[in-house]
Amino acid sequence: MTEEIQSLQNPRVKSWRALAKSRSARMEAGLYPAEGEHMAQEAVQEGACEQLLISADVFDKYAYLANQTDAQVFKLSPRVMESLSDTKTPQGVMAICRLPAFDKPVGKWAVALNAVQDPGNVGTILRTMDAAGFDTLIIDEQTADPFSAKAMRASMGAIFRMDVRRVRDLAHELGALAKDGYAVAAGDLHGEDFFARAPFPEKVCIVIGNEGQGISADVKKAATRNLKIPMVGGAESLNAAVAGSIMIYDVLREKLNR
């Protein structure tokens, strides 16, 4: 049954608005919003949607989503829907999704982010991971929230298909992976040539550092390999998401050529 909401002061509206604005609110509620038709459709298809919000003026357009989910459906007045939007041109549809457990086991192919602060980079890395068949994203507490609106948009729905593991001590986590047979490969401007390296083993974790400072000393120490992507032009460094994507896809290249 569809519930209609007209008031900006409705308690549900206030709680949804908080989810869009605050990481702490998302963590406390265990929920996050996925705005726009594409993201809402991905949420419904992946079974992540708990509540579906649709603006009354476009309800018929998105009725197909309501018919595809068992989630509770809300018809909001356009003014209420607009108050929840993070975009300049709202599409009038949003899924409210349940945050996953952050302590799932690490898959065979993982990426760890060390204080990557741009949510666009985080989302782009997720999208690349999804395309290349990676399993797990590991983030420390200094990394931008992958469930923020900007990161979600950049991920293009990959967030729904990736395990996200949140850790307090990334160096300790990587040390444990190394003991478990993972190649822990840290992107490092002073490391060995990435393309001249020995082949990776079956289990790999690529480590990507902060956009300005790179990888912290303790995380670098925990890595089993420090590798640099060669640059023969005038640029001193690569964007974090670009560097990560190159390394991610080279892992796939190795697997396909074995």
Side-chain angles (χ1 to χ4, degrees), residues 45-234:
Q45 289 177 350
E46 297 296 331
C49 179
E50 299 230 335
Q51 298 170 326
L52 183 64
L53 318 181
I54 305 176
S55 182
D57 58 337
V58 290
F59 194 85
D60 290 345
K61 178 180 179 180
Y62 298 121
Y64 77 94
L65 289 175
N67 294 332
Q68 292 175 7
T69 180
D70 293 329
Q72 188 173 7
V73 179
F74 294 86
K75 181 188 287 188
L76 310 183
S77 70
R79 186 173 66 145
V80 170
M81 194 72 205
E82 187 175 349
S83 76
L84 303 177
S85 177
D86 184 66
T87 64
K88 293 182 179 179
T89 55
Q91 295 180 346
V93 63
M94 177 182 294
I96 304 298
C97 307
R98 176 67 54 185
L99 281 173
F102 287 106
D103 58 354
K104 291 183 179 179
V106 179
K108 288 185 178 181
W109 289 0
V111 171
L113 304 184
N114 178 204
V116 175
Q117 296 180 340
D118 183 344
N121 282 337
V122 174
T124 299
I125 290 166
L126 274 165
R127 185 177 181 182
T128 306
M129 290 173 64
D130 186 28
F134 273 59
D135 310 294
T136 310
L137 179 71
I138 305 169
I139 59 172
D140 60 16
E141 293 184 327
Q142 291 74 46
T143 291
D145 184 8
F147 298 94
S148 68
K150 185 176 180 181
M152 292 277 292
R153 285 194 295 271
S155 84
M156 290 297 290
I159 188 69
F160 299 117
R161 292 179 290 276
M162 203 65 50
D163 288 337
V164 179
R165 184 175 175 86
R166 191 165 182 251
V167 298
R168 290 187 177 181
D169 188 340
L170 182 58
H172 180 270
E173 177 80 5
L174 297 178
L177 291 180
K179 290 180 181 178
D180 193 33
Y182 283 77
V184 179
D188 180 6
L189 290 175
H190 305 290
E192 300 175 17
D193 186 334
F194 180 81
F195 297 117
R197 72 186 190 281
F200 286 132
E202 184 179 6
K203 296 189 290 187
V204 183
C205 180
I206 300 294
V207 187
I208 303 167
N210 175 268
E211 290 87 348
Q213 304 299 318
I215 293 173
S216 65
D218 61 335
V219 170
K220 189 182 296 186
K221 187 176 180 180
T224 61
R225 303 187 192 183
N226 293 312
L227 302 170
K228 68 178 179 182
I229 297 172
M231 289 173 285
V232 298

Side-chain angles (χ1 to χ4, degrees), residues 109 128 131-134 197 200 246-258:
W109 289 0
T128 306
F134 273 59
R197 72 186 190 281
F200 286 132
I246 291 170
M247 293 188 286
I248 287 166
Y249 254 87
D250 207 59
V251 172
L252 177 60
R253 178 196 61 80
E254 273 193 354
K255 178 182 180 180
L256 294 177
N257 290 334
R258 282 177 182 170

